[in-house]
Amino acid sequence: MEFRIARGELAEAVGRAARALPARTPVPVLGGLLLTAEAGRLTVSGFDFETMVRVETDAEVTAEGRVLVLGRRLLDICRVVPEGPVSCALEGTRFALEAGGTRFGLSTLPYEEYPALPQAPLAYGGVDAEAFATAVGQVAVAAGRDDTLPVLTGIQLRFDGDEMTLSASDRYRYAVRRLEWKPEARTAGEAGPAEEAGAAGQARLAGEAGATGEVPTGAAGAAREARPAGEAGEAGAAREAVEVLLPARRLLEAARSLARCGTVRIGLDRAQQAGGGVVGFAGGGTRTVLRRLEGRLPGYGALFALADAAIAEVDCAALTEAVRRVAVVAEANSPVRLDFSAAEGTLLVRAGYGDDVAAQRLPSVLHGAEEFTVAFNPAYLLDALNSFEGPELRLELLGGGQRALLGGTGAAAGHRHLLMSVKQLV
């Protein structure tokens, strides 16, 4: 094989595909990137059995062919290769790159040992790439990091009509974001997917929070997400809702890499809706395929219904900055306390003990109570606050050790974040 390509296009294609490379692997070929040159196109692919990234870009192809090279070594070379056109060729068992008088040589890996790349599923619909990347980032902060509970490390995507809902929870918080999307026209005779998985194997949030501050599920069955009115309809009248659970970290990387492509087309493996299978994301010459996690998150409908809650409204950016300031004096596991006053129209943000304290007063509005005090883990609170984009934040509060629902207003009303407040106050 032999081809010639602009340095910037090669570096971008390699950089995107390298996101699929595993940090460590007992299978050496999985650390490779597959380069395929054909008909004026260069395709760079990476695969680790969980994620496949395939990037296509223009190239002047003199001789078609493919080669498997060490991915991270090629990435390092692309970062330092001189600007201008890069000439690449397979010379026996060595892959050579030359640009601006500088020449690099790379040993190749055995292509015959490389696993077959998964087929991307058919497109199910499209979504604005930038809005999708933002939404994934907003809910990813609530995803768990404990690999022993894989369901809680995922982001669940629900496709229902022209709305997509993203959600994530690690038992201590639950983030949800809704946005518009455009489903593909349903083909004649297409079978509706089986959406309702049985109770066995589904993730369960822990019971009503005590000292641990875990998000409660309430009575049996109450945690199921409330379905919008009119969703059921007559059989065949509308496309059934589809839910898929994907690894949060990998989905976040995929969404960010596609953020500038205009529209992301999402493909679903409809033959395996109940678990397993893959989901594809394509846009701007990049295609990412992610293997699904089995199971589903508990519904959030009942969790987000806070009856008789006090309602507070405050400037989001001001509260975020205030929490960041006062938290510097907080000891490990020490909460940040929020004191709302309806009569004064203020919120006092404070943290610390004894002489080591910090406080800042902000304007706020409180409904449903004359005064209200609540406290949060500062790291969790900052994660939640930083995920909001709108200027105004609405807080629904039940009291110490209970749920608190943070939500945007106006155009940002589709984003909500549930936190458990802390019982022990400063």
Side-chain angles (χ1 to χ4, degrees), residues 154-200:
I155 292 177
Q156 186 164 284
L157 306 183
R158 177 183 173 89
F159 306 94
D160 191 0
D162 58 359
E163 183 178 80
M164 176 196 299
T165 304
L166 300 90
S167 54
S169 174
D170 64 356
R171 295 183 299 177
Y172 304 96
R173 44 195 171 169
Y174 205 135
V176 173
R177 175 71 159 85
R178 289 189 171 93
L179 72 161
E180 294 181 357
W181 93 306
K182 297 179 181 179
E184 297 281 335
R186 187 169 184 170
T187 59
E190 179 183 14
E195 291 309 312
E196 294 300 327

Side-chain angles (χ1 to χ4, degrees), residues 61-208:
V61 179
T62 306
E64 296 186 355
R66 60 168 60 97
V67 63
L68 185 66
V69 299
L70 289 171
R72 300 200 184 280
R73 180 67 57 82
L74 178 59
L75 181 62
D76 290 339
I77 290 175
C78 288
R79 288 169 176 163
V80 299
V81 72
E83 290 291 342
V86 182
S87 298
C88 304
L90 180 60
E91 302 172 346
T93 60
R94 184 177 66 171
F95 182 67
L97 298 87
E98 184 175 359
T102 304
R103 184 177 176 86
F104 300 89
L106 272 176
S107 57
T108 59
L109 298 172
Y111 170 72
E112 61 276 7
E113 296 181 11
Y114 197 64
L117 299 179
Q119 292 293 322
L122 296 177
Y124 192 70
V127 63
D128 179 87
E130 187 174 355
F132 180 64
T134 298
V136 172
Q138 288 175 318
V139 302
V141 298
R145 308 291 191 271
D146 185 358
D147 291 333
T148 63
L149 298 171
V151 170
L152 298 182
T153 65
I155 292 177
Q156 186 164 284
L157 306 183
R158 177 183 173 89
F159 306 94
D160 191 0
D162 58 359
E163 183 178 80
M164 176 196 299
T165 304
L166 300 90
S167 54
S169 174
D170 64 356
R171 295 183 299 177
Y172 304 96
R173 44 195 171 169
Y174 205 135
V176 173
R177 175 71 159 85
R178 289 189 171 93
L179 72 161
E180 294 181 357
W181 93 306
K182 297 179 181 179
E184 297 281 335
R186 187 169 184 170
T187 59
E190 179 183 14
E195 291 309 312
E196 294 300 327
Q202 294 183 5
R204 300 285 183 186
L205 295 179
E208 189 70 38

Side-chain angles (χ1 to χ4, degrees), residues 37 40 44 79 117 126 141 161 163 170 200 271 281 304 338 340-341 346 354 421:
V44 185
R79 288 169 176 163
L117 299 179
V141 298
E163 183 178 80
D170 64 356
F281 301 88
F304 281 31
L338 309 181
F340 295 91
S341 172
T346 61
S421 59

Side-chain angles (χ1 to χ4, degrees), residues 254-293:
R256 286 174 173 171
S257 70
L258 296 170
R260 294 180 294 174
C261 72
T263 299
V264 174
R265 299 191 71 197
I266 301 177
L268 299 180
D269 184 352
R270 298 179 59 78
Q272 303 183 52
Q273 291 299 336
V278 296
V279 179
F281 301 88
T286 300
R287 183 183 299 275
T288 300
V289 176
L290 301 180
R291 190 168 301 281
R292 294 173 50 182
L293 297 173

